[in-house]
Amino acid sequence: DLTHTFPQRYKRGPEYLERLATLEKAIQAASGGTDIEAVGRAGQELLDLRVEALLTANPLIDFDKVLLIKRGANNLGLPANWVTNASIGKTGYDNEICILSPVTPNGELTTFHKPDKGAFVGDVDLHWDGDRMLFSSIGSNDRWQVFEMGIDPATGQGAGAPQQVTPGVETDVDNFDPCYLPDGRVIFSSTRAFHGVPCVGGSAPVANLVLLERETGVERQLCFDQDQNWCPTVLNNGRVLYTRWEYSDTPHYFTRLLFHMNPDGSGQMEYAFSNSYWPNSTFYARPVPNHPTKVVAVISGHHGVPRMGELIVYDPGKGRHEGQGTVQRIPGYGKPVEPRIADGLVNGSWPRFLHPYPLSDKYFLVSCQPNSQSNWGLYLVDVFDNMLKILDVPGYAIMEPVPLRRTQAPPVIPDRIDTSQTTAVLHLQDVYA
């Protein structure tokens, strides 16, 4: 596939196939005998070939540094599937933002930023210029706040101390899970609406999305949903993709839908899974590069394991209801994806995934736990069922991989609203037309 896709940049494909065929014969021959050393040598050559052919020679790995979260495995800091950061502990984490360089199993892992007093650090969003990042941690009023930190792309070192981005003037409001907009503004999740999740008696705060004007510090709430908004990110067309949990008049175990909207909050509508019982939850969705509609996402259940689950490529251009738009589950090459209706949808499913980052519509960096005995590590996976481990640190989880590089910013969508007006234009559409 790499030879076909990148004929000018991946010219050693035929050589790799020849080496693979030779190794296959050598392993078959050695396995039938008693020369254990020969089996070991052939096996190591095969592992080395995998790294070279899939990773180091891969034209999509055109960067030498990856941002990561390294967090102690005894406290992953993952909210349950019906709550947000505001419902988990603020401290007690052994975590830091790290950089892996080069992006190989022998790369060096260095600390970029480690918060004081065991505070949480995560929800990293890298700016398209590659010279700064947003993240969630604990700030003013001992509440969750959004921070920004500069990066020297050449060295991968921090450029100055972290600065709190959210004004944080309310003493009882949490702000977290940020994303940059192409025009310089920031969207983040906030508990300022003072809603509570109904099925836990309102004890878990609900977070809706808020827009921040960086220059003025003016904040404006964009979503007014009874329940949560999660994981905002910008689509290739400049609109904002996010997960919205609807609760009223629905079987709420199955209604964490993908939504999208304009950056000013207008045009909020379904992206995928309206009126669907599968999947229950969709987390960490990101757009596939250079594609108008495809996304990669983690699907999970309602109760059960928090936010982790199966990895799917989904294209709402093919269909938006349940499995209609499913391109593939990874791993699952050539296999149909049958929507399964269950509360704990992925409780018995392995491998498990978190935080996918698409390099193309076929190749993905992702945090993966292959089985219950494995660490959460950094993997390169693809639609052909290859799962190549890049980094595994005993006692720690490696999460939120983001290549440290400059990328093309999506287009800026001009605001459609006028906040100086006290009335709005309401458009009614005949749904049968």
Side-chain angles (χ1 to χ4, degrees), residues 7 9 12 34 120 140 178 215 226 251 320 356 377 382 393 395 424:
R9 299 167 59 194
R12 297 181 65 187
T34 58
F120 176 98
S140 59
E215 295 180 355
Q226 176 179 315
R320 296 179 300 183
D382 59 41
V393 181

Side-chain angles (χ1 to χ4, degrees), residues 184-386:
R185 296 181 293 182
V186 170
I187 282 181
F188 59 93
S189 296
S190 177
T191 61
R192 66 192 59 211
F194 294 102
H195 297 177
V197 177
C199 53
V200 291
S203 61
V206 162
N208 281 185
L209 296 181
V210 172
L211 177 67
L212 171 65
E213 302 277 355
R214 298 290 301 277
E215 295 180 355
T216 63
V218 172
E219 301 167 291
R220 183 169 63 84
Q221 188 172 332
L222 300 180
C223 299
F224 294 83
D225 300 322
Q226 176 179 315
D227 279 283
Q228 315 279 11
N229 305 140
W230 293 292
C231 308
T233 192
V234 182
L235 291 166
N236 296 329
N237 62 4
R239 282 173 63 84
V240 176
L241 179 72
Y242 61 102
T243 296
R244 174 190 172 189
W245 183 22
E246 183 53 75
Y247 199 105
S248 298
D249 286 335
T250 64
H252 66 269
Y253 280 23
F254 307 96
T255 48
R256 291 160 191 81
L257 320 178
L258 284 179
F259 255 59
H260 61 142
M261 66 178 174
N262 294 318
D264 64 1
S266 63
Q268 297 181 18
M269 63 186 70
E270 171 213 15
Y271 197 75
F273 307 125
S274 180
N275 294 318
S276 299
Y277 284 89
W278 179 93
N280 310 51
S281 305
T282 310
F283 293 109
Y284 310 120
R286 283 184 180 268
V288 165
N290 304 314
H291 195 279
T293 50
K294 278 185 187 177
V295 297
V296 60
V298 170
I299 61 171
S300 190
H302 177 66
H303 299 105
V305 294
R307 296 206 177 185
M308 61 188 70
E310 297 174 352
L311 186 64
I312 66 166
V313 180
Y314 200 86
D315 184 2
K318 296 177 56 179
R320 296 179 300 183
H321 185 260
E322 296 197 338
Q324 290 176 345
T326 307
V327 177
Q328 188 172 333
R329 178 188 285 129
I330 300 174
Y333 182 62
K335 299 176 182 178
V337 178
E338 298 295 337
R340 187 172 70 90
I341 312 304
D343 174 12
L345 180 65
V346 299
N347 284 4
S349 180
W350 298 96
R352 289 177 181 165
F353 297 93
L354 286 166
H355 311 125
Y357 189 97
L359 302 174
S360 73
D361 63 342
K362 299 176 184 176
Y363 300 87
F364 311 88
L365 291 177
V366 68
S367 178
C368 175
Q369 186 183 30
N371 57 61
S372 61
Q373 306 304 312
S374 305
N375 299 312
W376 281 96
L378 171 65
Y379 283 73
L380 174 67
V381 304
D382 59 41
V383 296
F384 310 105
D385 288 357
N386 291 297

Side-chain angles (χ1 to χ4, degrees), residues 2 7 37 91 108 185 204 210 318 371 423:
L2 289 170
E37 291 187 0
T91 59
E108 182 181 2
R185 296 181 293 182
V210 172
K318 296 177 56 179
N371 57 61
T423 59

